[in-house]
Amino acid sequence: ITEEACGGWTLFGDQTWCNNAFKRKGNLALSFGIEERDMYSEYMSNTHKIKTRLFDCFQNPASSPPMSGKAKNGTRSCGGQGHCYETTYQSFPVCLGPKKEMRENRQYDTLENALKGRGLQSTHVKIDVEGSEWTVLENLAKNDEDQDKIITLDMEIDF
């Protein structure tokens, strides 16, 4: 793919994105594994005006403004402030896993369930789940319908 075909590139941290991936209205960003602050979802919200859903069952909400609901939500203008979302976000104390289940007092759910109801190339996905990504990837590789819903996939791979 060429820079011209992409309408240019966006560099963010370790990611490089095709700019045309952000032009469609109604896109959603899913961020799995957010820790205290999720720069990915803030960037999607504040730069591309994409609504976000954040998932993490290990993060203590008391030390994470978005997980506790204390981050500014849907403010329309953050003016460079941290922990602020110009579009609305939702946070869930749920981890990404190969199946929907409770494990060691933590709720897990699948990428397939998170993508339910999404249209073709309508969802940006970030996965940083400290080793659980392998079974999630195996399931995604078997599901062409879910693959077609994802427009960008950003991952940290742990061995």
Side-chain angles (χ1 to χ4, degrees):
I1 190 161
T2 66
E3 184 174 2
E4 184 178 326
C6 274
W9 307 106
T10 293
L11 304 175
F12 177 72
D14 294 335
Q15 293 101 347
T16 302
W17 294 309
C18 177
N19 288 341
N20 289 340
F22 299 98
K23 290 187 176 183
R24 178 183 288 163
K25 299 289 184 203
N27 281 354
L28 177 70
L30 304 176
S31 185
F32 298 95
I34 70 155
E35 298 181 356
E36 290 179 20
R37 182 174 183 188
D38 188 40
M39 299 301 292
Y40 172 88
S41 61
E42 286 182 39
Y43 182 84
M44 289 295 189
S45 172
N46 301 344
T47 302
H48 296 291
K49 310 307 180 223
I50 296 172
K51 293 180 180 181
T52 57
R53 293 182 188 158
L54 292 66
F55 300 84
D56 198 316
C57 70
F58 282 89
Q59 181 59 49
N60 179 352
S63 61
S64 173
M67 290 304 292
S68 67
K70 293 179 183 174
K72 293 180 181 177
N73 194 351
T75 64
R76 298 185 193 250
S77 178
C78 290
Q81 297 177 43
H83 298 295
C84 182
Y85 290 77
E86 293 182 7
T87 60
T88 56
Y89 74 88
Q90 296 173 291
S91 60
F92 304 91
V94 175
C95 280
L96 188 62
K99 62 183 178 179
K100 185 173 183 165
E101 66 179 336
M102 285 294 292
R103 188 179 344 138
E104 298 175 11
N105 289 331
R106 289 185 168 87
Q107 179 66 52
Y108 287 78
D109 207 346
T110 64
L111 181 57
E112 180 179 8
N113 284 340
L115 290 169
K116 272 196 171 94
R118 300 299 305 156
L120 292 174
Q121 294 189 337
S122 65
T123 311
H124 300 272
V125 178
K126 188 249 341 180
I127 300 174
D128 181 0
V129 291
E130 308 307 320
S132 295
E133 66 273 1
W134 294 106
T135 52
V136 172
L137 280 177
E138 287 174 14
N139 291 344
L140 180 60
K142 297 174 192 172
N143 191 326
D144 291 341
E145 184 179 329
D146 281 348
Q147 290 176 44
D148 290 343
K149 295 174 182 179
I150 298 172
I151 193 163
T152 62
L153 177 60
D154 298 280
M155 297 186 64
E156 177 180 292
I157 304 293
D158 295 289
F159 296 95

